[in-house]
Structure formats: C-alpha cells, structure tokens
Amino acid sequence: MPTINVKRDLLFKALGKAYSNEEFQDLCFKFGLELDEVTTEKQIIMKEKGINATTEASEEVIYKIDIPANRYDLLCLEGLAVGLLIFLNKVNIPRYTATFPTSGVQKMFMTSECSKVREHIVAAILRDVVFTNDSYNSFIDLQDKLHQNIGRKRTLVSIGTHDLDTVKGPFLYDAKPPTDIRFKPLNQDREYTGEEIMNLYANHTQLKQYLHIIKDSPVFPVVQDSNGIVLSLPPIINGNHSKITLNTKNVLIECTATDLTKAKIVLDTIVCAFSQYCKTKYTVEAVEVVYPNNEVFCYPELKYRTQEIDCETAINYIGVQQTPDEVANLLSKMSLKSSARNNKKLLVEVPPTRHDVIHACDIYEDIAIAYGYNNIKKTIPYLSTVAEEFPLNKLSDHLRMELACTGFTETLTFSLCSREDISDKLGHKLESIPAVHISNPKTLEFQVARTTLLPGLLKTLAANKKMALPQKLFEVSDVILKDNKTETGARNSRHLCAVYCNKSDGFEIIHGLLDRVLQVLEIPRSVDENDNGYRLRTVDDPTYLPHRCADILSYGKIIGKMGVLHPDVITKFDLNMPCSVLEIDIESFL
C-alpha cells in the first residue's frame, strides 16, 4: 500500500476547511483511506538522514496517508483533494475531455526498432499550465509514485515530461545503438553517449536501479524532436534541453512502456490530476502516435464507460437497505456518476480516473465505503452451521501448550531467510535442499523460504545471549518445500522445533521432550525394529556432532531429527554455548 506525504495546510486550503487531526482521520476512514502519521518535514529528514541534516527543514505539518494500491488517482494532493470534495458533495464530478487543435495535432512517429526494447508509447499535452512551487513538486512526486507502483520500477512504464515550447514536433520515438545516441542529460553540463550515460549513473543513488532495464540491449530507446534534439532516454533520464520548470506553460507528457494498458492508465492519471491547472480546466490536448505499420492512435483516450448493475444484488451483498436512488447518490460520492432505472437497475459511469473499477464487485465496494462500514448493522447469519477448528491448527495448539508446560518458551520467526542460513551455516549444500527461492529479494536476509525452523531459533538465541541460562525455545510453524507435484510448485509442512542451550548440551532434556510429545500423541515406544511405534536410528548429518544425531521414525517413517549441534554450526550463528535440537514434522500425526 503506497503512502503519500501531503502538506496539511495545502490540503485544507484545497478542501476549503480546516480539520483537527482526529476529524481528518475520521474523514479518511469514511473515504476508505488511513491517516498513517502526522509529522513534519524536519522529523522526516531526521529519520532519513540524521539529526544534523535538519537545519533547513521546516516545521510545516505533513500528513502521511495510506492509499489503496489500485487507486492511482489518489497518489497526489490534487487527485486526493478532488476525490474528497466530491465525497463531501462540495463539487461536481469533473468531466475530462481530449481536444484536437485546429492548427494541427502533434504527432509521435515510431520506428520498427522500438519493438526490440520498449514497443509502446503514448503521449499528451497540457496547455497553458500555471505551476506553483507546490504543484510543481506534486507533479514530480506523482511521476515517482507511478514509476514505483504501476510502472514496477519503470520496467513496465516510464514517464517523460518536457517543456513543449523548447522543442518542435513532429516527434520521433526510435531505438539506436548506444554509441549513436548523444545528448545532455538532465542537470548535466555536457553531452554524453548512451554508453557514457550508463557509466555516469552506475553509482547514482536513484538511477542506478533502472540501468539494468536497457543496459544489455543492443539498442536504446530515444525520443527526439524534428530537429534531432533528444528529449529523453527512457526509462533512465530526460534531456536537459526540454526540462520543465516553474515557468513552463505547455507540457508534453510521453510514456514509453512494455505494457500498453498500463501506459494508458499512467497517462490518464497524470493528465486528469493536473489538467485542473490548465487555462481551460480538465481539458487535455491529444497527440497522434503513428506506428511503423502506419496505424494511427490518439492519446489520451480518457474513456468513459457505463456499467449496469442490479441494485438489489448490490445491497444484498453489503447487507443494507437502500433505494436505487440512494445507492446512485452513494456511488456519485465516490466519483462514479450513477442514475437509477425503473427496473431497479443502476447505470454507473466509470470515469478515466477510476481504472481500478474492473468488475461489479468493485462498484459494490464503493457503495459500502460511501454508506460507511460502521453503519452496516451486524446480523446473525441466516444459515445455522457448526464451527470446527482446522485439525492441523488444533494439533499445533495442543502441542504448543504441552511444550510451554515443560518450560520451553515459544518464538515466532520469519518465514524467509538467507541462503546461507539453510545451507552453509548448517553444513549442507544449497543444491541438495528443496528450497523455494525469491526471484527479486530486497535484502540478503530474505532470499529463500525456510525449509527448517532451526535457523530462526538459533538467531533468536544469538539475539538473547544476555539472558540467563539455560535457554529453552520452541516454535510450531510452517516450512516451505519445493514440490513439483503440486500446482504451485511448492507446499507447506507444519514442523515442531525445539532448542536447548546451556553450558552442557542437555541432550537428555531434548530426548525427554521428544518422549513427552509422542506420549501426548499416544505413539508408543518401539522396543524392536517391527515399527509398531516410534524409535531412534543413528544417522550422520553435518549439522550435528558425529554419533550424536538420530533420525526419529514413527511406524517406519522418518518424521524428523534430534541431536547435538556441531560446534561449526554454533559458531556460524554467533553462539558460544552447546545446543541440542529436536525437529519433527507433525502433519504425519493427523
């Protein structure tokens, strides 16, 4: 869920009313949002950069507001203010239109080379815009939010904004070898080739994360005007020649993409939010995009579509009593202009700002939000059913209680861990472990899904070395194992793991714990090898000391291991005391 930072005073000015923090938090809740934090610019910088970086920061109050991930229209102050004003019935729903100038429509020509790297482009023009410092910053911030959200860090969509008065159409979207591209990037004082730009931003804090998108491509995408002036090198950087400023009056917006649908959504979102600053409010000048096969498409589309829903079905889903006219008014508060028909049908108009409305259920949700979740009366279900606890969870809770009664303390650790945690640190090779790998891990700590509960418990011990000995910890949770026989390619397995840490290994403590667990589960001890109960079998495992490890067999099936950890394992987890461990799969007892 993305979070936006808006200046409180600017927001209240746009809303035409000042609220207390509690009142505004209540308004956000009614609108389906959440006021996450009330802070200041100074406090934000203190958290991000340290206390010494606050000398120029202001004490202006900042609202941090959590926005639903699919509500792209609310990712800036402009869109948020319009949405709240409509919700409060203070303004009518705007009507967004695309215009075609009599002097001729600007054109964007594409070459066939673009298909090798970023095969789509859409564009639009905002005419006679008046920017203030705050609206300019909001314009830039919205682009960044869209890049990170729907644009998936510019891999799907990247946005370029240009001062139209500094360039001349028609424009060309082409793809060239890096050595053939030469221009002055944004805020640079000399020209660079495509290859030099990759080197220039290799260590840049923000831009280095986007270089991989095109770095290995034989051609780089480039947008230029009729004079050959480069406007942008998507998805990396815009050109310095056409950069927008506070004095910019006409803005050319181009979005290059690998996903055309998402590019259209991004373009609609930007132009709808900032067309209110145009001389003719809520109007956008269209641009013709000419594809290599000479097909012509006009953007932005700014499509309005209508969807018919059954009013009775909607209110039954939500559990409220409303007339069709009342439901239509509720939807209009959510920017979905609606009208009731005689046959209890509602005709709902979905504007270009509401790309999140895909199914009738999305409309039902907006009815519930506008009505107020807290206003929906709680009722007893009309169907009489007998509830029953899920057997695996019932067994898990039963075992948790027994282990707690034996003096062990329960822990809850992360389901993700590093590759080393399940392999090198435990003395195993990663290739031999059925681990599910994360394709794009954010940190080295979360690279794979855990295949054993042991690393989490050992990390917990390492973080609590100052606690008195002995330390006795356990966890009953799922591990994730790769399994090609399942639909998802992986399966969960519920494990029980316990660790005893003291100056002596305490193997007898862990052995006794195993006996107690299996006694509770009514699994008898097998006195021979007839597999009529549970027994132990010596096994070599690099995680454990030689001759101090055993497989646990229940009715002939291996359900886990127990033993004394090898000193190398203890050292690698930053521990300095002997440990004994028990880990079993409890699903086999169901």
Side-chain angles (χ1 to χ4, degrees):
M1 181 177 288
T3 301
I4 63 169
N5 297 344
V6 295
K7 295 182 178 180
R8 180 195 63 183
D9 295 342
L10 280 177
L11 179 59
F12 288 173
K13 181 180 178 180
L15 295 177
K17 179 183 176 181
Y19 297 82
S20 67
N21 292 340
E22 291 75 17
E23 290 173 336
F24 186 72
Q25 185 174 25
D26 184 57
L27 174 61
C28 285
F29 179 79
K30 290 178 179 178
F31 191 54
L33 308 178
E34 182 180 352
L35 179 59
D36 182 57
E37 184 181 358
V38 180
T39 183
T40 65
E41 182 183 350
K42 188 173 183 178
Q43 290 174 340
I44 292 173
I45 296 179
M46 284 176 65
K47 289 181 180 179
E48 294 178 353
K49 299 182 180 179
I51 195 168
N52 296 327
T54 62
T55 54
E56 298 181 0
S58 70
E59 292 286 356
E60 188 171 4
V61 177
I62 303 292
Y63 280 165
K64 287 189 170 185
I65 304 172
D66 287 339
I67 307 294
N70 60 349
R71 288 299 302 269
Y72 313 116
D73 57 311
L74 303 179
L75 288 175
C76 62
L77 182 143
E78 288 74 14
L80 177 63
V82 170
L84 287 173
L85 287 170
I86 296 170
F87 181 74
L88 296 168
N89 293 318
K90 290 186 176 182
V91 299
N92 295 323
I93 302 173
R95 188 78 185 184
Y96 302 98
T97 56
T99 62
F100 297 84
T102 55
S103 58
V105 180
Q106 289 284 5
K107 297 179 183 292
M108 178 76 71
F109 290 91
M110 286 182 59
T111 68
S112 57
E113 290 294 303
C114 299
S115 61
K116 297 179 180 179
V117 55
R118 294 177 81 81
E119 61 269 32
H120 301 291
I121 188 169
V122 296
I125 296 171
L126 294 176
R127 287 282 184 186
D128 299 316
V129 177
V130 177
F131 279 127
T132 63
N133 189 60
D134 289 314
S135 62
Y136 176 85
N137 290 334
S138 181
F139 186 61
I140 301 300
D141 188 57
L142 176 61
Q143 295 175 52
D144 184 59
K145 288 286 192 297
L146 293 171
H147 276 149
Q148 300 301 316
N149 191 352
I150 186 174
R152 296 294 188 270
K153 295 187 176 180
R154 305 191 189 184
T155 56
L156 299 182
V157 184
S158 65
I159 308 161
T161 54
H162 315 282
D163 188 334
L164 185 61
D165 297 326
T166 64
V167 291
K168 183 180 179 181
F171 302 96
L172 178 67
Y173 177 43
D174 197 4
K176 300 179 179 180
T179 53
D180 294 348
I181 299 172
R182 191 171 188 85
F183 74 108
K184 187 185 295 185
L186 191 65
N187 299 325
Q188 297 296 323
D189 53 7
R190 74 176 184 87
E191 291 187 342
Y192 293 84
T193 65
E195 288 181 340
E196 290 172 337
I197 288 174
M198 291 293 142
N199 295 327
L200 176 66
Y201 295 115
N203 297 314
H204 193 276
T205 306
Q206 285 82 32
L207 297 181
K208 66 180 181 181
Q209 60 182 316
Y210 309 123
L211 300 182
H212 71 93
I213 301 174
I214 62 170
K215 188 173 183 179
D216 297 328
S217 175
V219 291
F220 288 180
V222 63
V223 179
Q224 59 189 54
D225 73 352
S226 58
N227 294 324
I229 296 173
V230 174
L231 280 65
S232 66
L233 178 70
I236 310 302
I237 192 74
N238 289 340
N240 192 66
H241 180 87
S242 59
K243 69 178 179 181
I244 62 171
T245 66
L246 288 175
N247 298 320
T248 297
K249 297 300 179 185
N250 301 301
V251 182
L252 170 66
I253 304 168
E254 44 88 0
C255 301
T256 59
T258 57
D259 187 314
L260 182 58
T261 300
K262 287 181 169 52
K264 293 177 183 178
I265 294 173
V266 168
L267 187 65
D268 284 351
T269 301
I270 295 175
V271 298
C272 288
F274 288 90
S275 59
Q276 62 181 277
Y277 297 123
C278 295
K279 185 177 180 180
T280 306
K281 295 180 69 173
Y282 308 124
T283 60
V284 185
E285 184 177 316
V287 173
E288 288 186 352
V289 176
V290 183
Y291 277 73
N293 59 2
N294 293 323
E295 282 189 279
V296 179
F297 297 90
C298 291
Y299 300 106
E301 293 181 344
L302 298 181
K303 282 185 178 179
Y304 284 82
R305 61 180 176 88
T306 56
Q307 184 166 342
E308 187 179 78
I309 65 168
D310 184 83
C311 181
E312 188 172 347
T313 302
I315 61 175
N316 286 339
Y317 266 111
I318 301 167
V320 297
Q321 294 297 324
Q322 293 281 285
T323 66
D325 287 330
E326 289 172 333
V327 174
N329 290 331
L330 291 175
L331 284 172
S332 295
K333 289 177 64 175
M334 301 301 293
S335 302
L336 299 175
K337 189 175 181 179
S338 305
S339 58
R341 292 184 171 185
N342 295 330
N343 58 355
K344 295 184 179 181
K345 299 290 184 179
L346 285 178
L347 201 61
V348 182
E349 184 180 64
V350 182
T353 54
R354 294 299 308 274
H355 287 281
D356 60 297
V357 178
I358 301 172
H359 188 273
C361 288
D362 299 314
I363 299 176
Y364 301 163
E365 181 185 18
D366 272 9
I367 296 172
I369 292 172
Y371 183 84
Y373 286 126
N374 288 339
N375 297 326
I376 300 174
K377 293 182 180 180
K378 296 180 180 179
T379 59
I380 297 174
Y382 66 90
L383 291 176
S384 179
T385 61
V386 178
E388 183 179 5
E389 189 175 4
F390 187 58
L392 181 58
N393 290 338
K394 185 176 182 179
L395 174 62
S396 300
D397 290 341
H398 185 46
L399 291 176
R400 287 188 182 103
M401 183 64 69
E402 288 297 331
L403 267 67
C405 289
T406 61
F408 279 71
T409 301
E410 185 176 12
T411 65
L412 183 64
T413 60
F414 291 115
S415 297
L416 301 179
C417 59
S418 69
R419 296 187 183 98
E420 287 186 342
D421 288 342
I422 60 171
S423 57
D424 294 345
K425 289 184 179 181
L426 296 180
H428 293 279
K429 292 183 178 180
L430 185 62
E431 297 78 16
S432 63
I433 300 172
V436 176
H437 294 254
I438 308 302
S439 61
N440 56 340
K442 301 302 179 185
T443 69
L444 295 176
E445 290 295 313
F446 302 127
Q447 296 173 313
V448 295
R450 64 185 178 189
T451 57
T452 169
L453 301 178
L454 180 57
L457 291 180
L458 295 181
K459 285 183 176 181
T460 304
L461 286 175
N464 292 275
K465 287 189 287 188
K466 293 182 180 180
M467 299 295 290
L469 295 174
Q471 290 196 53
K472 300 189 288 183
L473 303 178
F474 80 92
E475 182 173 7
V476 180
S477 294
D478 283 356
V479 299
I480 299 92
L481 304 173
K482 186 183 292 186
D483 188 348
N484 295 328
K485 295 180 180 179
T486 64
E487 182 179 358
T488 59
R491 61 180 174 85
N492 284 23
S493 180
R494 187 70 54 86
H495 279 205
L496 179 155
C497 186
V499 176
Y500 178 86
C501 179
N502 202 357
K503 293 180 181 179
S504 60
D505 58 54
F507 181 75
E508 67 281 2
I509 303 294
I510 285 295
H511 198 322
L513 182 67
L514 172 66
D515 289 340
R516 175 56 185 165
V517 168
L518 295 177
Q519 181 186 29
V520 168
L521 295 173
E522 298 182 354
I523 308 295
R525 182 69 184 267
S526 178
V527 295
D528 50 34
E529 296 186 1
N530 292 328
D531 295 327
N532 55 355
Y534 80 92
R535 62 186 177 89
L536 303 180
R537 183 176 66 191
T538 302
V539 66
D540 289 329
D541 190 313
T543 304
Y544 302 90
L545 278 172
H547 310 297
R548 297 299 298 259
C549 174
D551 278 336
I552 304 166
L553 288 84
S554 175
Y555 294 103
K557 179 182 177 182
I558 297 176
I559 60 170
K561 280 189 176 68
M562 64 180 294
V564 180
L565 289 182
H566 196 285
D568 289 345
V569 174
I570 294 173
T571 303
K572 287 176 181 177
F573 279 96
D574 198 24
L575 295 171
N576 50 20
M577 291 290 176
C579 296
S580 292
V581 174
L582 159 69
E583 182 165 9
I584 58 175
D585 179 356
I586 66 173
E587 290 192 21
S588 58
F589 300 121
L590 291 175

